[in-house]
Amino acid sequence: MTTNPRTTARVATVAAAVVLGGLTLGCGLVQNAVDTAQTLGEFSDRLGRSAELTYTAEYRTDDATVTFVQRPPNSAVLGADGRLIFSPTAMIMCDKRECQRAPHAGAVAGPDADLVAAVGGAGFLTPELALGLVAAAAIVPGTDVSTSEREIAGQDSLCADVDGIEDPQTGAQPGDMKSFSVCVTDSGLLASFSGETHGGERTAIELVSYSDKVDPAAFAPLKGAKVVDVTDLAAQALTAGG
């Protein structure tokens, strides 16, 4: 298996930071934190590989079915009433009547959570967003993690159950994850994610179908929709789909 150098460096940095904090944490807590960082670092490495995949994945959320399509460097979230398209030069958000297109720098990793939720619903997240949550949990001392294996939509998947996520400096913030479960296939595909914030909000998605084929039309505005150029797509997110 090829290891992502950035993930390896991140895990090493986290482990070193935890060890340096050992005078206050105690040896047992230090070892637990190092083990957690290493385990979640492996999941981060798996999820990171998904950025190189070409595929179409259909996910079930609590109240909808959402499709994620990717052919690097393009990706798209397809909801019942709209879509969010990401390319190296622009992001496009569409409802059934209108698409809003905003330029951005090619270095941007992907659309943020608010834009994804505006199209996929509050319970949906992309592999990039899941990767961010896993990486963030890896650096929180006191986090507990256990692993298991599942088969999801015909795909062998490694799963992690993560609990006790609370920043020791800022404490439990309502919008921060308290616990989550994540499953990733051998190839790096996000197979499932479910979690709860300290404020009681829940999110849950699970893969229901997968194909290594994509429809190029997924990366184009909806047929017949008017395309409007805007400077900041985030400012338009609340009105998209209306």
Side-chain angles (χ1 to χ4, degrees):
M1 179 183 73
T2 301
T3 303
N4 187 323
R6 288 177 294 179
T7 300
T8 302
R10 179 171 60 247
V11 172
T13 301
V14 170
V18 171
V19 170
L20 289 174
L23 291 177
T24 55
L25 287 175
C27 294
L29 289 177
V30 168
Q31 186 58 53
N32 179 70
V34 170
D35 291 345
T36 295
Q38 291 175 338
T39 299
L40 293 182
E42 293 174 3
F43 274 83
S44 294
D45 188 59
R46 275 196 176 209
L47 272 171
R49 294 202 300 270
S50 71
E52 303 172 358
L53 301 177
T54 294
Y55 66 98
T56 299
E58 186 177 64
Y59 292 93
R60 180 178 57 247
T61 68
D62 288 339
D63 56 6
T65 298
V66 183
T67 301
F68 182 77
V69 185
Q70 178 174 277
R71 184 174 61 190
N74 302 314
S75 63
V77 177
L78 311 180
D81 298 317
R83 62 181 55 187
L84 176 64
I85 304 165
F86 179 85
S87 76
T89 57
M91 283 189 288
I92 302 173
M93 176 177 282
C94 299
D95 61 24
K96 293 180 177 180
R97 300 186 305 273
E98 182 178 281
C99 294
Q100 298 161 344
R101 178 173 55 200
H104 68 77
V108 176
D112 65 26
D114 290 338
L115 297 179
V116 171
V119 172
F124 184 77
L125 76 170
T126 63
E128 290 86 357
L129 294 175
L131 175 59
L133 293 172
V134 171
I139 64 173
V140 179
T143 299
D144 295 319
V145 59
S146 60
T147 61
S148 60
E149 295 181 355
R150 291 179 57 194
E151 183 178 296
I152 301 174
Q155 305 291 312
D156 292 333
S157 305
L158 183 64
C159 303
D161 295 319
V162 186
D163 199 4
I165 310 170
E166 181 176 337
D167 192 309
Q169 295 182 341
T170 61
Q173 302 298 309
D176 293 344
M177 278 289 171
K178 177 177 68 174
S179 62
F180 65 79
S181 297
V182 59
C183 295
V184 185
T185 69
D186 291 340
S187 63
L189 191 72
L190 178 64
S192 72
F193 187 97
S194 62
E196 181 179 5
T197 69
H198 286 282
E201 296 179 347
R202 297 177 182 271
T203 182
I205 69 169
E206 183 164 308
L207 182 70
V208 293
S209 68
Y210 161 79
S211 172
D212 60 2
K213 304 294 191 298
V214 301
D215 181 355
F219 308 117
L222 289 168
K223 187 175 181 179
K226 178 183 178 182
V227 178
V228 178
D229 288 313
V230 297
T231 57
D232 184 1
L233 194 62
Q236 310 293 331
L238 294 179
T239 61

